[in-house]
Amino acid sequence: MESAKDSALDWHVARAALEWQLEMGVSEFIGEAPVDRFAVEPPAPKPAAVPQKPARPVMPGKIEEPRVDHVALAKQMAAGAPDLDGLRAALGAFEGCELKKGARNLVFADGNPAARVMVIGEAPGRDEDREGKPFVGRAGQLLDRMFDAIGMGRAATLSKDALYITNVLPWRPPQNRDPNPDEVAMLMPFVQRHVELVAPDVLVLMGNHACQAVLGKRGITRLRGQWEEALGRPVLPMFHPAYLLRNPHAKREAWADLLALQARLRDL
Ligand code: URA
């Protein structure tokens, strides 16, 4: 039988373990038992076999880790995707990005692929990671309300009213940190192919990180509402809905941008 002393000891051990986890940056519990995602490789659907070749020749007598050029590999895998299912499978099979190991789900896209408007955000957050869908948390709910105000939404069946939504990164970064340039460089080939396959009339970029990835520039306060051309189509940068939640006074500009989008779609 467990003595009072043992259970007091367990309590202190459990508390010390919890404090250690908080110090290590644990911000939420997602399961009863720990999972070492570096040890467990999820079974990934394999699209076309892609040679993961060393980028440099190995010198005789020298033991070198084969170096993979992840950007080149991403380009090859993305280009080989014949359709959206193929692209999702290619992303699922891409092992170049460490974010995948810490994420629960691949967050590929949501909405109607026949939409005239494709929205590109930054990266999934906790809710998106959990559900495997982009923009489903508080910022996503605001995004839905914003587009609803101009008669558009991800559940619409008619292309003219529909939205298609994705992110630059398909995996949640730890603690929602910003995407780093290497991650963006290796995931952009998938975004480019995604845009090619959906072939929307217009792209809407939500926030600085999407602008940096697609336009190569940031400074959303200056960029928002200014039409640009990228990936072969008109592009409209807008404030990210998460920014609007923190800065409700900026909703006035967001409304002006939505009206500009509506007018542009009428003219195209
Ligand atoms: N923010 C994003 O940029 N994308 C999401 O999917 C959710 C929040």
Side-chain angles (χ1 to χ4, degrees):
M1 225 174 98
E2 194 183 44
S3 69
K5 196 174 159 211
D6 285 342
S7 75
L9 191 64
D10 286 351
W11 186 89
H12 287 294
V13 170
R15 187 189 162 106
L18 187 59
E19 281 171 355
W20 179 79
Q21 289 181 3
L22 286 173
E23 250 174 60
M24 290 297 106
V26 173
S27 57
E28 63 177 313
F29 293 96
I30 59 174
E32 292 291 319
V35 178
D36 180 353
R37 293 191 191 275
F38 287 87
V40 179
E41 286 299 330
K46 291 232 178 324
V50 179
Q52 311 220 351
K53 276 197 249 146
R56 295 182 299 169
V58 178
M59 300 297 288
K62 232 181 157 192
I63 300 171
E64 278 195 35
E65 277 287 299
R67 289 262 221 99
V68 178
D69 178 344
H70 291 125
V71 176
L73 180 61
K75 283 185 183 161
Q76 195 180 348
M77 291 176 81
D83 52 25
L84 290 173
D85 286 343
L87 188 66
R88 184 196 286 263
L91 258 175
F94 181 62
E95 298 297 342
C97 184
E98 289 291 303
L99 293 178
K100 180 182 181 182
K101 295 186 173 135
R104 274 186 169 191
N105 280 303
L106 169 73
V107 178
F108 183 66
D110 194 24
N112 183 344
R116 294 185 70 197
V117 175
M118 180 167 178
V119 173
I120 303 183
E122 173 187 334
R126 188 190 51 185
D127 297 319
E128 291 77 20
D129 182 43
R130 205 174 265 159
E131 287 195 33
K133 275 191 194 172
F135 282 103
V136 292
R138 277 186 72 220
Q141 287 156 22
L142 176 57
L143 180 140
D144 285 341
R145 289 199 300 278
M146 285 161 62
F147 280 92
D148 189 52
I150 55 165
M152 302 185 76
R154 58 178 108 186
T157 48
L158 294 180
S159 315
K160 72 176 184 55
D161 304 327
L163 281 186
Y164 185 79
I165 304 173
T166 190
N167 282 308
V168 175
L169 303 187
W171 296 289
R172 181 192 184 193
Q175 269 93 50
N176 297 338
R177 65 153 171 76
D178 289 347
N180 72 43
D182 288 346
E183 290 159 353
V184 173
M186 69 176 82
L187 291 163
M188 268 313 284
F190 293 100
V191 175
Q192 278 163 8
R193 184 73 185 130
H194 210 153
V195 171
E196 262 170 38
L197 289 169
V198 174
D201 289 344
V202 167
L203 285 175
V204 173
L205 302 179
M206 289 300 181
N208 261 326
H209 293 287
C211 289
Q212 179 69 53
V214 174
L215 302 173
K217 45 189 170 183
R218 51 197 302 141
I220 192 64
T221 311
R222 207 172 9 89
L223 291 173
R224 62 138 283 274
Q226 306 294 321
W227 287 94
E228 304 256 356
E229 194 77 22
L231 306 181
R233 60 212 78 229
V235 173
L236 181 65
M238 286 186 63
F239 283 135
H240 193 288
Y243 174 84
L244 296 174
L245 287 172
R246 295 191 303 271
N247 300 279
H249 61 87
K251 285 184 183 170
R252 174 200 289 262
E253 280 96 340
W255 177 236
D257 298 345
L258 287 168
L259 293 178
L261 172 66
Q262 192 178 42
R264 181 82 180 227
L265 290 169
R266 234 182 262 131
D267 295 345
L268 275 175

